[in-house]
Amino acid sequence: MYYTLTTDFERLAPPKLLYEPGFNVIDATIVQDGKRYVMFLKDETRHPPAKNLRVASADAPTGPYGPPSAPITGNYWAEGPSAIKLGEKWFVYFDRYTEHRYGLVTSTDLVHWDDESERARFPADHRHGSVLRVSREVLGGLLKQ
């Protein structure tokens, strides 16, 4: 995984290595959690296929990130993590792409994970997405539409 920096989205600094855990990585999402940064990433190992989500953390958004966790998703192919922490609980939404559905895993410690995919509801054919906080006013306007 590589990164670049910019102040104007016109000029980009030369790319730098962000994370090299010893396997191919795609679809990284970084979330600030207090003074640390948590990266949710896809293990894109081809042979034998891994295709799962993992977690790594760092003291700065540009790393260095520690070793990857054990897989946080189950025995299915997962990608495109989008994460948010609400209170003390992490919610990681992702694409269970070979099943043509979306999934959800939750955790309070980033170590032990519960698959709550059966509780999550998304529009048909939903793919990679983003999670963001909005005010009640904005939510009300969206629900009216």
Side-chain angles (χ1 to χ4, degrees):
M1 187 66 57
Y2 288 82
Y3 74 94
T4 186
L5 300 174
T6 184
T7 58
D8 59 13
F9 290 95
E10 292 181 19
R11 294 173 303 232
L12 301 175
K16 293 183 180 179
L17 183 64
L18 177 65
Y19 194 57
E20 170 46 81
F23 53 81
N24 291 337
V25 175
I26 64 170
D27 295 350
T29 297
I30 298 172
V31 179
Q32 186 173 1
D33 182 36
K35 293 184 178 182
R36 72 176 172 170
Y37 293 83
V38 181
M39 179 172 27
F40 300 89
L41 56 108
K42 179 186 180 188
D43 178 343
E44 182 65 357
T45 300
R46 289 184 178 194
H47 302 289
K51 315 296 185 183
N52 54 51
L53 301 182
R54 297 170 181 253
V55 180
S57 62
D59 293 332
T62 56
Y65 284 84
S69 69
I72 67 171
T73 50
N75 192 23
Y76 44 80
W77 289 16
E79 69 180 24
S82 186
I84 190 167
K85 186 177 184 185
L86 300 173
E88 295 302 312
K89 191 172 184 179
W90 286 94
F91 295 78
V92 179
Y93 300 92
F94 58 94
D95 191 351
R96 293 173 72 149
Y97 63 99
T98 59
E99 298 176 0
H100 307 285
R101 60 185 284 224
Y102 226 60
L104 167 65
V105 290
T106 61
S107 175
T108 56
D109 62 7
L110 297 175
V111 175
H112 303 93
W113 292 88
D114 295 313
D115 191 327
E116 297 192 46
S117 297
E118 297 307 317
R119 288 181 2 123
R121 301 287 179 262
F122 297 92
D125 299 323
H126 182 76
R127 299 304 303 247
H128 297 215
S130 295
V131 176
L132 65 140
R133 294 176 196 258
V134 297
S135 67
R136 291 198 180 278
E137 180 182 358
V138 169
L139 176 60
L142 290 170
L143 291 173
K144 286 179 185 176
Q145 296 300 317

